[in-house]
Amino acid sequence: MRMQRSLTILCSLCALLASTVAAAPLRPTHAPHAMVTSVHELASGAGVEMLRSGGNAVDAAVATGFALAVVHPQAGNLGGGGFLLLRTANGKIRFIDFREKAPASATENMYLDAQGNVIPESSKDSSVVGYRAIGVPGTVAGLIYAEKQYGKLSIEKVIAPAIKLARDGFPLAYEDTRDLRKDKHLAEFPESKRIFLRDGDYYQPGEIFRQPELARTLERLAKDPDTFYHGALARELAAAIHKGGGLVTAADLAAYEVKEREPIRGSYRGYDIISAPPPSSGGVALIEILNILEGFDLAKLGNRSADSIHLEAEAFRRAFYDRADFLGDPDFAKVPVAQLIDKKYAAAWRDSIDVNHASVSKDLKRPSFDELERVAQSRSTNVAIREPENTTHYSVVDADGNAVSVTTTLNDSFGSRVTAEGLGFLLNDEMDDFTSKPGVPNTYGLIQGPANAIGPGKRPLSAMTPTIILKDGKLFLVLGSPGGPTIITTVANVLIGVVDFSLDIQESVNAPRFHHQWLPDEILVEDRLSPDTMNLLRSKGHKLNVRHFWGDAECIMIDPKNGERLGGSDGRNNGKAVGY
Ligand code: DON
């Protein structure tokens, strides 16, 4: 009887937790020492647990990353990839690329049928759903590399919170049960259906979700971090993928390598911008946007006024036009980064903006800029890809002032929907971030160039934009979000909110978003933007596409006055800033 009562109380508590975590704060979360922001309170908490037990920001980020693989299966992952940007308290900057790679047997036209058409999502051979969509995962390599190079604690210690969450379970939030229930493809894969959909007896909000297979996999990783790429786990993973008809082999796993790259650097109104280099388009596009906007007095035009949104949308349009032509894996294609982030080039683009009227994307003419002309002419037609639905970002600042910004993804929500048999984790569909076929507009109309064609060992172009901003040489902002192409404009929106419109970090995360990506030629706006503003934008010639909301910015600001850590976590999902 007593046990039953305790159980009832536990369930009510869980249901309460599940129903309250989504509340969107109006003010930043304050903490004197350290802060972790992520899409899930338990994942942020895992990071803080490391910080409190002597770990640094990298230890916290790695613990949060592993915990997200348990509590946020939509995008937190072991079977995906991502980027980690680190700035140490003494100013060293490191960028770790653990993006997935195409398997050795991948070919440029592998997602085209005999007639040369893109194979649809409903087919087992598609680039989106099923075994053939899987790229060689990089997350485990990336997190373990970061921990070994820059962390202070042991691998066992930073994986421990994730093991506990997987073994003992955690209460599912409404948003999680909704995402699981509404997914169109999870049920097609028996292992995914069994684990995530309880064979059709869908989980309800507040119910405890336990993942024993995942707990075992994490325990194996804690004991032998090498096993994922070179040991028994690699062989089991490759065998599971092979059985399902996928391309990733044990040799692909053994050949996977994390890369440290030079991040992209720029400046905006005296602030230093540090962001993701290719194979992400994020940093280049962000800095190009900011360079164009630097010549306009946005503050005078006013936050979310039609005039300021117009100018920002015009800058977005131009940066996405360049993204389409020039960006891809820098290990395989020359990406003219220096030219694209040159302030003189941005000034030339700025001159093409009419402050009163919308430009027309199809008539856009790139300002002549020698190097870019040459590269553009050497490429063929533009290319389109389909855009996915889930990814996740987390930010950490520790008591010493080390900062980490990580964006990680399975690409679509729940990735390829394939769960590695017996291993308990979902695998990515990152192959879909490559160009499947030139000239075919995707669901979202995002256009890319041949620099992003599929090739063995290549990394697909990404939009993920983990970013760090310095003010007077000191850490000021840690930014990032999911959202496919909208990642770039969400990061720009949050940054401009703070820098130009003096919003605090929470206000800036909360503020209505808008997005332009060159094609389709329209501004995507969140529906909280005032109808008057929308009409003013229409009167300037913009077509608007009104959506409820998108993205999940998980950010941190340092108060320059007193060093306080201010968490800005997004109420659009279940984000939570946890600090001490
Ligand atoms: O790397 C990329 O750009 C994509 N795979 C990210 C997908 C994404 O953010 C979808 N999120 N909502």
Short mmCIF file of all heavy atoms in Angstrom, two decimals, residues 471-492:
data_model
loop_
_atom_site.label_atom_id
_atom_site.label_comp_id
_atom_site.label_asym_id
_atom_site.label_seq_id
_atom_site.Cartn_x
_atom_site.Cartn_y
_atom_site.Cartn_z
N LYS A 471 34.04 40.57 -26.24
CA LYS A 471 33.91 42.03 -26.15
C LYS A 471 35.18 42.53 -25.46
O LYS A 471 35.50 42.05 -24.36
CB LYS A 471 32.67 42.36 -25.31
CG LYS A 471 32.39 43.83 -25.18
CD LYS A 471 31.13 44.06 -24.36
CE LYS A 471 30.81 45.55 -24.42
NZ LYS A 471 29.58 45.89 -23.75
N ASP A 472 35.86 43.47 -26.07
CA ASP A 472 37.13 43.97 -25.55
C ASP A 472 38.08 42.82 -25.22
O ASP A 472 38.74 42.80 -24.18
CB ASP A 472 36.91 44.82 -24.27
CG ASP A 472 35.95 45.97 -24.54
OD1 ASP A 472 36.03 46.55 -25.65
OD2 ASP A 472 35.12 46.28 -23.66
N GLY A 473 38.08 41.81 -26.10
CA GLY A 473 38.98 40.67 -25.94
C GLY A 473 38.55 39.68 -24.87
O GLY A 473 39.23 38.68 -24.63
N LYS A 474 37.41 39.94 -24.23
CA LYS A 474 36.96 39.02 -23.16
C LYS A 474 35.71 38.27 -23.58
O LYS A 474 34.88 38.81 -24.34
CB LYS A 474 36.63 39.83 -21.90
CG LYS A 474 37.81 40.51 -21.26
CD LYS A 474 37.47 40.75 -19.77
CE LYS A 474 38.55 41.57 -19.11
NZ LYS A 474 38.25 43.01 -19.11
N LEU A 475 35.54 37.06 -23.03
CA LEU A 475 34.37 36.24 -23.37
C LEU A 475 33.09 37.03 -23.10
O LEU A 475 32.91 37.61 -22.03
CB LEU A 475 34.39 34.97 -22.51
CG LEU A 475 33.24 34.01 -22.76
CD1 LEU A 475 33.32 33.42 -24.16
CD2 LEU A 475 33.25 32.89 -21.70
N PHE A 476 32.17 37.04 -24.07
CA PHE A 476 30.92 37.79 -23.92
C PHE A 476 29.70 36.91 -24.20
O PHE A 476 28.77 36.86 -23.39
CB PHE A 476 30.95 39.01 -24.85
CG PHE A 476 29.72 39.87 -24.76
CD1 PHE A 476 29.25 40.34 -23.53
CD2 PHE A 476 29.03 40.24 -25.90
CE1 PHE A 476 28.12 41.14 -23.44
CE2 PHE A 476 27.89 41.06 -25.83
CZ PHE A 476 27.45 41.50 -24.59
N LEU A 477 29.69 36.21 -25.33
CA LEU A 477 28.51 35.40 -25.69
C LEU A 477 28.94 34.02 -26.17
O LEU A 477 29.96 33.88 -26.86
CB LEU A 477 27.74 36.06 -26.84
CG LEU A 477 27.05 37.39 -26.59
CD1 LEU A 477 26.55 37.95 -27.93
CD2 LEU A 477 25.87 37.22 -25.63
N VAL A 478 28.14 33.01 -25.83
CA VAL A 478 28.28 31.66 -26.39
C VAL A 478 26.93 31.35 -27.03
O VAL A 478 25.90 31.37 -26.34
CB VAL A 478 28.62 30.63 -25.30
CG1 VAL A 478 28.91 29.28 -25.93
CG2 VAL A 478 29.81 31.09 -24.46
N LEU A 479 26.94 31.10 -28.34
CA LEU A 479 25.67 31.03 -29.08
C LEU A 479 25.56 29.78 -29.94
O LEU A 479 26.57 29.23 -30.39
CB LEU A 479 25.54 32.23 -30.03
CG LEU A 479 25.69 33.63 -29.46
CD1 LEU A 479 25.59 34.66 -30.59
CD2 LEU A 479 24.64 33.93 -28.40
N GLY A 480 24.32 29.39 -30.25
CA GLY A 480 24.08 28.32 -31.20
C GLY A 480 22.63 27.88 -31.14
O GLY A 480 21.89 28.22 -30.20
N SER A 481 22.22 27.13 -32.16
CA SER A 481 20.83 26.67 -32.26
C SER A 481 20.75 25.53 -33.27
O SER A 481 21.59 25.45 -34.16
CB SER A 481 19.93 27.81 -32.73
OG SER A 481 18.61 27.36 -32.95
N PRO A 482 19.71 24.70 -33.21
CA PRO A 482 19.37 23.85 -34.36
C PRO A 482 18.54 24.63 -35.37
O PRO A 482 18.25 25.81 -35.15
CB PRO A 482 18.52 22.74 -33.73
CG PRO A 482 17.91 23.34 -32.52
CD PRO A 482 18.87 24.42 -32.05
N GLY A 483 18.15 23.97 -36.45
CA GLY A 483 17.19 24.59 -37.38
C GLY A 483 17.61 24.57 -38.84
O GLY A 483 17.12 25.39 -39.62
N GLY A 484 18.51 23.64 -39.24
CA GLY A 484 18.91 23.60 -40.65
C GLY A 484 19.42 24.97 -41.07
O GLY A 484 20.18 25.60 -40.33
N PRO A 485 18.98 25.49 -42.22
CA PRO A 485 19.50 26.78 -42.67
C PRO A 485 19.15 27.92 -41.73
O PRO A 485 19.87 28.91 -41.65
CB PRO A 485 18.81 26.98 -44.03
CG PRO A 485 17.66 26.06 -44.04
CD PRO A 485 18.01 24.91 -43.16
N THR A 486 18.04 27.76 -40.97
CA THR A 486 17.67 28.84 -40.04
C THR A 486 18.62 28.95 -38.86
O THR A 486 18.56 29.91 -38.11
CB THR A 486 16.22 28.66 -39.51
OG1 THR A 486 16.17 27.51 -38.66
CG2 THR A 486 15.21 28.51 -40.63
N ILE A 487 19.51 27.96 -38.70
CA ILE A 487 20.52 28.05 -37.63
C ILE A 487 21.29 29.36 -37.79
O ILE A 487 21.50 30.11 -36.82
CB ILE A 487 21.53 26.88 -37.70
CG1 ILE A 487 20.86 25.56 -37.35
CG2 ILE A 487 22.72 27.15 -36.77
CD1 ILE A 487 21.77 24.34 -37.55
N ILE A 488 21.71 29.64 -39.01
CA ILE A 488 22.59 30.78 -39.28
C ILE A 488 21.87 32.09 -38.93
O ILE A 488 22.42 32.97 -38.27
CB ILE A 488 23.04 30.77 -40.76
CG1 ILE A 488 23.83 29.48 -41.05
CG2 ILE A 488 23.86 32.02 -41.09
CD1 ILE A 488 24.06 29.20 -42.53
N THR A 489 20.63 32.19 -39.35
CA THR A 489 19.90 33.45 -39.11
C THR A 489 19.42 33.54 -37.66
O THR A 489 19.29 34.64 -37.13
CB THR A 489 18.73 33.59 -40.10
OG1 THR A 489 17.91 32.40 -40.04
CG2 THR A 489 19.23 33.76 -41.52
N THR A 490 19.22 32.39 -37.01
CA THR A 490 18.86 32.44 -35.58
C THR A 490 20.05 32.96 -34.78
O THR A 490 19.90 33.82 -33.91
CB THR A 490 18.44 31.03 -35.08
OG1 THR A 490 17.22 30.68 -35.74
CG2 THR A 490 18.23 31.00 -33.58
N VAL A 491 21.25 32.46 -35.09
CA VAL A 491 22.44 32.96 -34.38
C VAL A 491 22.61 34.46 -34.67
O VAL A 491 22.87 35.26 -33.77
CB VAL A 491 23.70 32.15 -34.76
CG1 VAL A 491 24.96 32.79 -34.21
CG2 VAL A 491 23.58 30.72 -34.25
N ALA A 492 22.42 34.86 -35.92
CA ALA A 492 22.52 36.29 -36.28
C ALA A 492 21.46 37.09 -35.52
O ALA A 492 21.76 38.15 -34.94
CB ALA A 492 22.37 36.49 -37.79
#
